[in-house]
Amino acid sequence: MRRSLLLLVLALPLASTAAFAQSLRQRVERLLDTPPFDRAVWGVILTDTTGRVLYARNADRLFMPASNTKLVVAATASALLPADFRVETSIYATGPIDGGTLQGDLVVYGRGDPTFSARCYGGDTLALGACEATWDRLDALADSVRAHGIRHVAGSLVGDGSYFDDEFFNPDWDLYDVNWWYAAPVSGLGFNDNSLDITWGPGPSLGAPATVSIAPDVGLVRFENRTSTTDAGTATTVDFFRAPGTWNVWAEGTVAANRAPRTEYFAIPDPDRFFSAAFRAALARKGVSVAGPTLSTTDSLRYREARDGPALFSYLGRTRADILFPILNTSQNWFAEMLLKLLGRHVAGSGSWTAGLQVERRFLVDSVKADSAGFSLSDGSGLSTANLVAPRTFAALLRYMWSHPRRAGFLRGLPRSGQPGSLRSRFVGSPIEGRVVAKTGSIAHVNSLSGYIERPGRGPLVFSVIVNNHTVRGQPMLRQIDSVVVQLAR
């Protein structure tokens, strides 16, 4: 009799656990199998920080992850680059300085610093420019040139981006995408996210071209306005185009007379020349003239002799944490791609997508202990549809980072529900508002969310939800994903 009672007591927790697991599965799958969401392919996994799987559906299938891909580059950089990591940008001269004149070229050599940008945020507001304004750092470079006694450059001003390879655009990106900020070119030099801020709105009268302004205007763009202003309430169809590989940009379409102004961010074709042209403008403001043309190069041998000598001066960029934050919190693609090539150069000796992806792969397999068949990566940002990752791989990565000694910058960068960032309006009013810390992802027919659900007094739950091949638009799909996460949290 006592033995029977003991067996019954021991069985009660097991029965309770089994009932909970069955209840969780039923609650989650009721959401996944509700039309029209049942037409999509769902990958879901929930674990604790020990790796115990609490729920899984298609957890080992490969999915396009969209911007959840950024978790990989951010985690790899957090683990492999020191917390005080900063990128150095150097200025070299190819001749002597005589009486205030540099008898040669002035060469700015970039090593992949993405932070010549206002994209540095106040953590509480995400206000841009928390570190400095757009031109502050270029003006500081120009001040340093003048401080070295240079008032005139007899040669050329050269932007040398050869620290990275000469492949500016990932071959898996769509041709139209490379016109826009989210597919901006990746080289050793970068300024203003290698994009132009184009602000446009209706013209002063019906039939007039739209008003268009471009910043920063460094004198390279040849712009043609083919737009017209139409009656209030009519359709606005303005779009911007560029002849591939050129600075020839034009706008087409119509803008309604009552349309509010809008700013878009348009990628430039040659980041190294863009940087050197901007630097030339900064030098001019400081009273330093340049006789020769504004040039660019990705030839690592062209100015090697100058680089073998001492730099006139070098400038250190912002810390690793300031690079990670825009990648994770607001999902900035270009920072992610610059960081991927930085990893390739620093860890594998080559500033290329190929080398960076090799570093990520070794990190996932050797450090995270992820299944090598559970991912196939093409870029750092998730823009490429060739990226494929299993939800189980993301869960393993997140568990690894939770206990990593260099986790602070990674966790700080992840958006938190109800707070500034890409989760600001999600889970608000739900039982887990403020307790979801996760990376969002979205491209055509794809949405994803992977991260942590905090539990007071206990370690977090780790989850990954990826939805592929769906036609549900925008907010309804995000709300359904959030409902799934709420059920996982229970």
Side-chain angles (χ1 to χ4, degrees):
M1 180 67 175
R2 288 180 180 176
R3 177 179 172 81
S4 298
L5 287 174
L6 179 61
L7 290 174
L8 177 62
V9 170
L10 291 174
L12 285 175
L14 295 176
S16 176
T17 300
F20 171 79
Q22 183 63 23
S23 171
L24 174 61
R25 179 169 297 279
Q26 288 174 345
R27 287 184 279 111
V28 172
E29 295 194 349
R30 187 179 301 120
L31 292 169
L32 305 187
D33 295 334
T34 298
F37 307 104
D38 59 337
R39 292 180 178 272
V41 182
W42 290 79
V44 183
I45 190 169
L46 177 72
T47 79
D48 60 19
T49 53
T50 71
R52 183 168 63 105
V53 177
L54 305 175
Y55 174 81
R57 174 160 166 171
N58 295 328
D60 294 304
R61 293 188 63 174
L62 294 173
F63 289 81
M64 287 183 286
S67 284
N68 272 201
T69 307
K70 295 182 176 74
L71 289 168
V72 181
V73 71
T76 307
S78 296
L80 300 183
L81 300 178
D84 61 354
F85 174 80
R86 294 171 182 260
V87 182
E88 185 177 44
T89 301
S90 299
I91 304 293
Y92 296 93
T94 64
I97 302 169
D98 182 13
T101 296
L102 168 60
Q103 302 292 345
D105 296 339
L106 187 67
V107 181
V108 56
Y109 181 60
R111 297 180 180 87
D113 186 355
T115 65
F116 279 84
S117 163
R119 196 171 294 278
C120 183
Y121 299 106
D124 55 345
T125 65
L126 293 196
L128 281 171
C131 297
E132 61 261 329
T134 300
W135 286 94
D136 286 356
R137 300 187 62 212
L138 276 177
D139 285 341
L141 285 181
D143 283 334
S144 296
V145 171
R146 188 173 174 87
H148 277 74
I150 299 174
R151 300 295 182 270
H152 179 69
V153 177
S156 301
L157 181 58
V158 183
D160 185 345
S162 63
Y163 191 73
F164 289 169
D165 67 0
D166 61 357
E167 191 171 37
F168 292 164
F169 302 99
N170 190 292
D172 288 327
W173 292 348
D174 185 80
L175 183 61
Y176 176 80
D177 287 342
V178 301
N179 284 337
W180 298 97
W181 66 271
Y182 54 82
V186 182
S187 187
L189 288 166
F191 172 60
N192 197 54
D193 307 341
N194 280 346
S195 299
L196 302 168
D197 305 348
I198 301 181
T199 302
W200 57 272
S205 60
L206 292 179
T211 57
V212 179
S213 63
I214 297 176
D217 185 358
V218 296
L220 295 177
V221 174
R222 294 176 291 275
F223 179 71
E224 184 177 354
N225 193 339
R226 305 176 187 174
T227 65
S228 62
T229 303
T230 55
D231 290 328
T234 56
T236 294
T237 63
V238 170
D239 203 353
F240 292 84
F241 304 89
R242 184 184 67 230
T246 76
W247 295 91
N248 299 326
V249 178
W250 69 93
E252 294 180 1
T254 59
V255 54
N258 62 337
R259 176 69 183 253
R262 176 176 178 176
T263 300
E264 303 195 57
Y265 307 96
F266 199 74
I268 50 88
D270 182 345
D272 305 316
R273 190 175 177 208
F274 185 54
F275 191 103
S276 58
F279 188 31
R280 187 183 190 116
L283 288 170
R285 286 196 294 273
K286 303 298 182 178
V288 179
S289 61
V290 181
T294 302
L295 303 176
S296 65
T297 186
T298 56
D299 183 348
S300 62
L301 299 179
R302 184 170 179 183
Y303 290 99
R304 181 175 179 177
E305 183 177 351
R307 296 198 307 272
D308 284 344
L312 286 178
F313 59 90
S314 293
Y315 194 97
L316 290 176
R318 298 198 293 265
T319 64
R320 185 194 67 189
D322 282 337
I323 297 174
L324 291 178
F325 195 86
I327 293 171
L328 294 171
N329 199 272
T330 56
S331 208
Q332 218 283 347
N333 285 10
W334 180 70
F335 269 57
E337 304 300 349
M338 291 287 277
L339 183 57
L340 182 59
K341 284 195 176 185
L342 276 168
L343 283 168
R345 179 67 192 235
H346 279 266
V347 180
S350 174
S352 65
W353 270 291
T354 298
L357 293 169
Q358 288 174 346
V359 173
E360 287 188 332
R361 180 176 181 82
R362 294 268 44 100
F363 171 70
L364 287 171
V365 173
D366 295 343
S367 298
V368 177
K369 307 302 182 185
D371 185 346
S372 61
F375 62 93
S376 178
L377 297 170
S378 173
D379 65 16
S381 66
L383 178 60
S384 169
T385 57
N387 290 305
L388 295 171
V389 182
R392 193 181 301 274
T393 300
F394 281 130
L397 176 68
L398 290 162
R399 288 196 305 272
Y400 179 83
M401 289 306 299
W402 180 256
S403 59
H404 197 280
R406 292 180 178 174
R407 68 177 185 167
F410 178 83
L411 296 180
R412 173 182 174 267
L414 287 172
R416 180 180 292 273
S417 62
Q419 294 188 12
S422 59
L423 284 181
R424 184 167 197 159
S425 61
R426 295 179 66 174
F427 301 99
V428 174
S430 78
I432 54 175
E433 179 180 350
R435 294 197 289 121
V436 178
V437 181
K439 180 72 194 76
T440 57
S442 178
I443 55 176
H445 310 301
V446 174
N447 289 99
S448 55
L449 186 69
S450 300
Y452 308 99
I453 305 168
E454 295 177 342
R455 299 184 294 175
R458 292 184 290 173
L461 296 172
V462 178
F463 74 93
S464 179
V465 180
I466 311 176
V467 194
N468 278 192
N469 303 324
H470 73 79
T471 58
V472 181
R473 295 181 62 85
Q475 291 303 313
M477 178 54 79
L478 298 185
R479 286 194 294 269
Q480 194 73 355
I481 290 173
D482 293 354
S483 296
V484 169
V485 175
V486 168
Q487 292 303 320
L488 293 175
R490 293 178 59 191

PDB file of all heavy atoms in Angstrom, residues 386-407:
ATOM      1  N   ALA A 386      18.796  34.474 -49.630  1.00  0.00           N
ATOM      2  CA  ALA A 386      19.592  33.250 -49.603  1.00  0.00           C
ATOM      3  C   ALA A 386      19.962  32.835 -48.182  1.00  0.00           C
ATOM      4  O   ALA A 386      20.458  31.733 -47.968  1.00  0.00           O
ATOM      5  CB  ALA A 386      20.859  33.417 -50.441  1.00  0.00           C
ATOM      6  N   ASN A 387      19.739  33.720 -47.193  1.00  0.00           N
ATOM      7  CA  ASN A 387      19.972  33.344 -45.804  1.00  0.00           C
ATOM      8  C   ASN A 387      18.953  32.295 -45.375  1.00  0.00           C
ATOM      9  O   ASN A 387      17.749  32.458 -45.621  1.00  0.00           O
ATOM     10  CB  ASN A 387      19.846  34.566 -44.888  1.00  0.00           C
ATOM     11  CG  ASN A 387      20.972  35.557 -45.067  1.00  0.00           C
ATOM     12  OD1 ASN A 387      22.133  35.208 -44.953  1.00  0.00           O
ATOM     13  ND2 ASN A 387      20.618  36.805 -45.357  1.00  0.00           N
ATOM     14  N   LEU A 388      19.412  31.254 -44.718  1.00  0.00           N
ATOM     15  CA  LEU A 388      18.536  30.216 -44.180  1.00  0.00           C
ATOM     16  C   LEU A 388      19.039  29.820 -42.796  1.00  0.00           C
ATOM     17  O   LEU A 388      20.226  29.488 -42.633  1.00  0.00           O
ATOM     18  CB  LEU A 388      18.527  28.991 -45.092  1.00  0.00           C
ATOM     19  CG  LEU A 388      17.932  29.180 -46.501  1.00  0.00           C
ATOM     20  CD1 LEU A 388      18.204  27.954 -47.360  1.00  0.00           C
ATOM     21  CD2 LEU A 388      16.436  29.468 -46.430  1.00  0.00           C
ATOM     22  N   VAL A 389      18.127  29.850 -41.814  1.00  0.00           N
ATOM     23  CA  VAL A 389      18.495  29.495 -40.442  1.00  0.00           C
ATOM     24  C   VAL A 389      17.333  28.746 -39.802  1.00  0.00           C
ATOM     25  O   VAL A 389      16.166  29.122 -39.982  1.00  0.00           O
ATOM     26  CB  VAL A 389      18.841  30.745 -39.605  1.00  0.00           C
ATOM     27  CG1 VAL A 389      19.274  30.339 -38.193  1.00  0.00           C
ATOM     28  CG2 VAL A 389      19.942  31.575 -40.269  1.00  0.00           C
ATOM     29  N   ALA A 390      17.637  27.720 -39.032  1.00  0.00           N
ATOM     30  CA  ALA A 390      16.622  26.983 -38.284  1.00  0.00           C
ATOM     31  C   ALA A 390      16.344  27.675 -36.961  1.00  0.00           C
ATOM     32  O   ALA A 390      17.264  28.215 -36.329  1.00  0.00           O
ATOM     33  CB  ALA A 390      17.087  25.560 -38.023  1.00  0.00           C
ATOM     34  N   PRO A 391      15.100  27.697 -36.495  1.00  0.00           N
ATOM     35  CA  PRO A 391      14.808  28.286 -35.185  1.00  0.00           C
ATOM     36  C   PRO A 391      15.670  27.709 -34.070  1.00  0.00           C
ATOM     37  O   PRO A 391      16.069  28.431 -33.152  1.00  0.00           O
ATOM     38  CB  PRO A 391      13.325  27.960 -34.982  1.00  0.00           C
ATOM     39  CG  PRO A 391      12.766  27.871 -36.368  1.00  0.00           C
ATOM     40  CD  PRO A 391      13.861  27.253 -37.186  1.00  0.00           C
ATOM     41  N   ARG A 392      15.994  26.424 -34.130  1.00  0.00           N
ATOM     42  CA  ARG A 392      16.822  25.824 -33.087  1.00  0.00           C
ATOM     43  C   ARG A 392      18.210  26.461 -33.042  1.00  0.00           C
ATOM     44  O   ARG A 392      18.817  26.574 -31.964  1.00  0.00           O
ATOM     45  CB  ARG A 392      16.947  24.313 -33.303  1.00  0.00           C
ATOM     46  CG  ARG A 392      17.515  23.582 -32.091  1.00  0.00           C
ATOM     47  CD  ARG A 392      17.657  22.085 -32.355  1.00  0.00           C
ATOM     48  NE  ARG A 392      16.402  21.443 -32.699  1.00  0.00           N
ATOM     49  CZ  ARG A 392      15.526  20.978 -31.805  1.00  0.00           C
ATOM     50  NH1 ARG A 392      15.775  21.114 -30.518  1.00  0.00           N
ATOM     51  NH2 ARG A 392      14.407  20.392 -32.210  1.00  0.00           N
ATOM     52  N   THR A 393      18.718  26.883 -34.199  1.00  0.00           N
ATOM     53  CA  THR A 393      20.026  27.543 -34.233  1.00  0.00           C
ATOM     54  C   THR A 393      19.969  28.875 -33.501  1.00  0.00           C
ATOM     55  O   THR A 393      20.882  29.211 -32.727  1.00  0.00           O
ATOM     56  CB  THR A 393      20.476  27.742 -35.688  1.00  0.00           C
ATOM     57  OG1 THR A 393      20.578  26.469 -36.336  1.00  0.00           O
ATOM     58  CG2 THR A 393      21.818  28.445 -35.756  1.00  0.00           C
ATOM     59  N   PHE A 394      18.911  29.649 -33.744  1.00  0.00           N
ATOM     60  CA  PHE A 394      18.784  30.919 -33.025  1.00  0.00           C
ATOM     61  C   PHE A 394      18.652  30.692 -31.520  1.00  0.00           C
ATOM     62  O   PHE A 394      19.224  31.437 -30.719  1.00  0.00           O
ATOM     63  CB  PHE A 394      17.581  31.709 -33.535  1.00  0.00           C
ATOM     64  CG  PHE A 394      17.829  32.427 -34.825  1.00  0.00           C
ATOM     65  CD1 PHE A 394      16.949  32.310 -35.890  1.00  0.00           C
ATOM     66  CD2 PHE A 394      18.935  33.246 -34.988  1.00  0.00           C
ATOM     67  CE1 PHE A 394      17.165  32.980 -37.083  1.00  0.00           C
ATOM     68  CE2 PHE A 394      19.170  33.917 -36.185  1.00  0.00           C
ATOM     69  CZ  PHE A 394      18.280  33.784 -37.232  1.00  0.00           C
ATOM     70  N   ALA A 395      17.907  29.684 -31.119  1.00  0.00           N
ATOM     71  CA  ALA A 395      17.748  29.399 -29.695  1.00  0.00           C
ATOM     72  C   ALA A 395      19.098  29.045 -29.066  1.00  0.00           C
ATOM     73  O   ALA A 395      19.418  29.502 -27.960  1.00  0.00           O
ATOM     74  CB  ALA A 395      16.741  28.275 -29.490  1.00  0.00           C
ATOM     75  N   ALA A 396      19.893  28.245 -29.763  1.00  0.00           N
ATOM     76  CA  ALA A 396      21.213  27.886 -29.248  1.00  0.00           C
ATOM     77  C   ALA A 396      22.100  29.116 -29.125  1.00  0.00           C
ATOM     78  O   ALA A 396      22.832  29.284 -28.131  1.00  0.00           O
ATOM     79  CB  ALA A 396      21.860  26.843 -30.163  1.00  0.00           C
ATOM     80  N   LEU A 397      22.062  29.990 -30.127  1.00  0.00           N
ATOM     81  CA  LEU A 397      22.864  31.219 -30.108  1.00  0.00           C
ATOM     82  C   LEU A 397      22.457  32.112 -28.937  1.00  0.00           C
ATOM     83  O   LEU A 397      23.315  32.649 -28.210  1.00  0.00           O
ATOM     84  CB  LEU A 397      22.689  31.962 -31.432  1.00  0.00           C
ATOM     85  CG  LEU A 397      23.384  33.320 -31.551  1.00  0.00           C
ATOM     86  CD1 LEU A 397      24.889  33.143 -31.565  1.00  0.00           C
ATOM     87  CD2 LEU A 397      22.922  34.059 -32.812  1.00  0.00           C
ATOM     88  N   LEU A 398      21.161  32.284 -28.736  1.00  0.00           N
ATOM     89  CA  LEU A 398      20.675  33.151 -27.660  1.00  0.00           C
ATOM     90  C   LEU A 398      21.019  32.574 -26.290  1.00  0.00           C
ATOM     91  O   LEU A 398      21.361  33.323 -25.364  1.00  0.00           O
ATOM     92  CB  LEU A 398      19.169  33.352 -27.813  1.00  0.00           C
ATOM     93  CG  LEU A 398      18.759  34.219 -29.007  1.00  0.00           C
ATOM     94  CD1 LEU A 398      17.287  34.009 -29.345  1.00  0.00           C
ATOM     95  CD2 LEU A 398      19.045  35.698 -28.733  1.00  0.00           C
ATOM     96  N   ARG A 399      20.928  31.267 -26.128  1.00  0.00           N
ATOM     97  CA  ARG A 399      21.328  30.658 -24.852  1.00  0.00           C
ATOM     98  C   ARG A 399      22.816  30.869 -24.599  1.00  0.00           C
ATOM     99  O   ARG A 399      23.241  31.185 -23.481  1.00  0.00           O
ATOM    100  CB  ARG A 399      21.011  29.157 -24.844  1.00  0.00           C
ATOM    101  CG  ARG A 399      19.543  28.826 -24.731  1.00  0.00           C
ATOM    102  CD  ARG A 399      19.347  27.362 -24.336  1.00  0.00           C
ATOM    103  NE  ARG A 399      20.022  26.434 -25.239  1.00  0.00           N
ATOM    104  CZ  ARG A 399      19.490  25.938 -26.352  1.00  0.00           C
ATOM    105  NH1 ARG A 399      18.271  26.304 -26.728  1.00  0.00           N
ATOM    106  NH2 ARG A 399      20.166  25.092 -27.103  1.00  0.00           N
ATOM    107  N   TYR A 400      23.613  30.711 -25.652  1.00  0.00           N
ATOM    108  CA  TYR A 400      25.056  30.900 -25.516  1.00  0.00           C
ATOM    109  C   TYR A 400      25.377  32.328 -25.080  1.00  0.00           C
ATOM    110  O   TYR A 400      26.189  32.545 -24.174  1.00  0.00           O
ATOM    111  CB  TYR A 400      25.736  30.577 -26.846  1.00  0.00           C
ATOM    112  CG  TYR A 400      27.232  30.763 -26.847  1.00  0.00           C
ATOM    113  CD1 TYR A 400      28.076  29.757 -26.367  1.00  0.00           C
ATOM    114  CD2 TYR A 400      27.804  31.931 -27.330  1.00  0.00           C
ATOM    115  CE1 TYR A 400      29.459  29.927 -26.369  1.00  0.00           C
ATOM    116  CE2 TYR A 400      29.177  32.109 -27.332  1.00  0.00           C
ATOM    117  CZ  TYR A 400      30.004  31.103 -26.851  1.00  0.00           C
ATOM    118  OH  TYR A 400      31.365  31.279 -26.850  1.00  0.00           O
ATOM    119  N   MET A 401      24.715  33.297 -25.706  1.00  0.00           N
ATOM    120  CA  MET A 401      25.012  34.692 -25.389  1.00  0.00           C
ATOM    121  C   MET A 401      24.500  35.086 -24.007  1.00  0.00           C
ATOM    122  O   MET A 401      25.066  35.985 -23.372  1.00  0.00           O
ATOM    123  CB  MET A 401      24.424  35.614 -26.455  1.00  0.00           C
ATOM    124  CG  MET A 401      25.134  35.538 -27.792  1.00  0.00           C
ATOM    125  SD  MET A 401      26.931  35.817 -27.673  1.00  0.00           S
ATOM    126  CE  MET A 401      26.991  37.485 -27.021  1.00  0.00           C
ATOM    127  N   TRP A 402      23.443  34.426 -23.528  1.00  0.00           N
ATOM    128  CA  TRP A 402      22.906  34.777 -22.212  1.00  0.00           C
ATOM    129  C   TRP A 402      23.952  34.591 -21.115  1.00  0.00           C
ATOM    130  O   TRP A 402      24.005  35.370 -20.155  1.00  0.00           O
ATOM    131  CB  TRP A 402      21.659  33.957 -21.905  1.00  0.00           C
ATOM    132  CG  TRP A 402      21.082  34.291 -20.564  1.00  0.00           C
ATOM    133  CD1 TRP A 402      21.161  33.556 -19.420  1.00  0.00           C
ATOM    134  CD2 TRP A 402      20.353  35.477 -20.238  1.00  0.00           C
ATOM    135  NE1 TRP A 402      20.526  34.204 -18.398  1.00  0.00           N
ATOM    136  CE2 TRP A 402      20.025  35.394 -18.869  1.00  0.00           C
ATOM    137  CE3 TRP A 402      19.951  36.590 -20.974  1.00  0.00           C
ATOM    138  CZ2 TRP A 402      19.309  36.389 -18.214  1.00  0.00           C
ATOM    139  CZ3 TRP A 402      19.240  37.592 -20.326  1.00  0.00           C
ATOM    140  CH2 TRP A 402      18.931  37.490 -18.965  1.00  0.00           C
ATOM    141  N   SER A 403      24.800  33.586 -21.257  1.00  0.00           N
ATOM    142  CA  SER A 403      25.796  33.303 -20.221  1.00  0.00           C
ATOM    143  C   SER A 403      27.202  33.754 -20.601  1.00  0.00           C
ATOM    144  O   SER A 403      28.156  33.478 -19.875  1.00  0.00           O
ATOM    145  CB  SER A 403      25.802  31.801 -19.907  1.00  0.00           C
ATOM    146  OG  SER A 403      26.111  31.050 -21.075  1.00  0.00           O
ATOM    147  N   HIS A 404      27.342  34.450 -21.728  1.00  0.00           N
ATOM    148  CA  HIS A 404      28.675  34.835 -22.194  1.00  0.00           C
ATOM    149  C   HIS A 404      29.200  36.020 -21.387  1.00  0.00           C
ATOM    150  O   HIS A 404      28.452  36.962 -21.092  1.00  0.00           O
ATOM    151  CB  HIS A 404      28.632  35.197 -23.686  1.00  0.00           C
ATOM    152  CG  HIS A 404      29.985  35.197 -24.330  1.00  0.00           C
ATOM    153  ND1 HIS A 404      30.863  36.249 -24.215  1.00  0.00           N
ATOM    154  CD2 HIS A 404      30.618  34.257 -25.087  1.00  0.00           C
ATOM    155  CE1 HIS A 404      31.975  35.965 -24.873  1.00  0.00           C
ATOM    156  NE2 HIS A 404      31.851  34.767 -25.409  1.00  0.00           N
ATOM    157  N   PRO A 405      30.477  36.026 -21.027  1.00  0.00           N
ATOM    158  CA  PRO A 405      31.017  37.145 -20.243  1.00  0.00           C
ATOM    159  C   PRO A 405      30.990  38.489 -20.973  1.00  0.00           C
ATOM    160  O   PRO A 405      31.061  39.532 -20.317  1.00  0.00           O
ATOM    161  CB  PRO A 405      32.457  36.708 -19.938  1.00  0.00           C
ATOM    162  CG  PRO A 405      32.768  35.635 -20.941  1.00  0.00           C
ATOM    163  CD  PRO A 405      31.480  34.946 -21.221  1.00  0.00           C
ATOM    164  N   ARG A 406      30.869  38.476 -22.308  1.00  0.00           N
ATOM    165  CA  ARG A 406      30.806  39.730 -23.059  1.00  0.00           C
ATOM    166  C   ARG A 406      29.394  40.007 -23.569  1.00  0.00           C
ATOM    167  O   ARG A 406      29.201  40.641 -24.595  1.00  0.00           O
ATOM    168  CB  ARG A 406      31.776  39.681 -24.241  1.00  0.00           C
ATOM    169  CG  ARG A 406      33.240  39.660 -23.837  1.00  0.00           C
ATOM    170  CD  ARG A 406      34.132  39.604 -25.070  1.00  0.00           C
ATOM    171  NE  ARG A 406      35.541  39.631 -24.727  1.00  0.00           N
ATOM    172  CZ  ARG A 406      36.532  39.486 -25.607  1.00  0.00           C
ATOM    173  NH1 ARG A 406      36.244  39.289 -26.894  1.00  0.00           N
ATOM    174  NH2 ARG A 406      37.799  39.525 -25.218  1.00  0.00           N
ATOM    175  N   ARG A 407      28.404  39.557 -22.826  1.00  0.00           N
ATOM    176  CA  ARG A 407      27.024  39.659 -23.288  1.00  0.00           C
ATOM    177  C   ARG A 407      26.442  41.061 -23.151  1.00  0.00           C
ATOM    178  O   ARG A 407      25.425  41.364 -23.772  1.00  0.00           O
ATOM    179  CB  ARG A 407      26.137  38.698 -22.518  1.00  0.00           C
ATOM    180  CG  ARG A 407      25.962  39.061 -21.046  1.00  0.00           C
ATOM    181  CD  ARG A 407      25.034  38.132 -20.325  1.00  0.00           C
ATOM    182  NE  ARG A 407      24.781  38.568 -18.960  1.00  0.00           N
ATOM    183  CZ  ARG A 407      23.826  38.091 -18.185  1.00  0.00           C
ATOM    184  NH1 ARG A 407      23.032  37.151 -18.636  1.00  0.00           N
ATOM    185  NH2 ARG A 407      23.666  38.540 -16.960  1.00  0.00           N
TER     186      ARG A 407
END
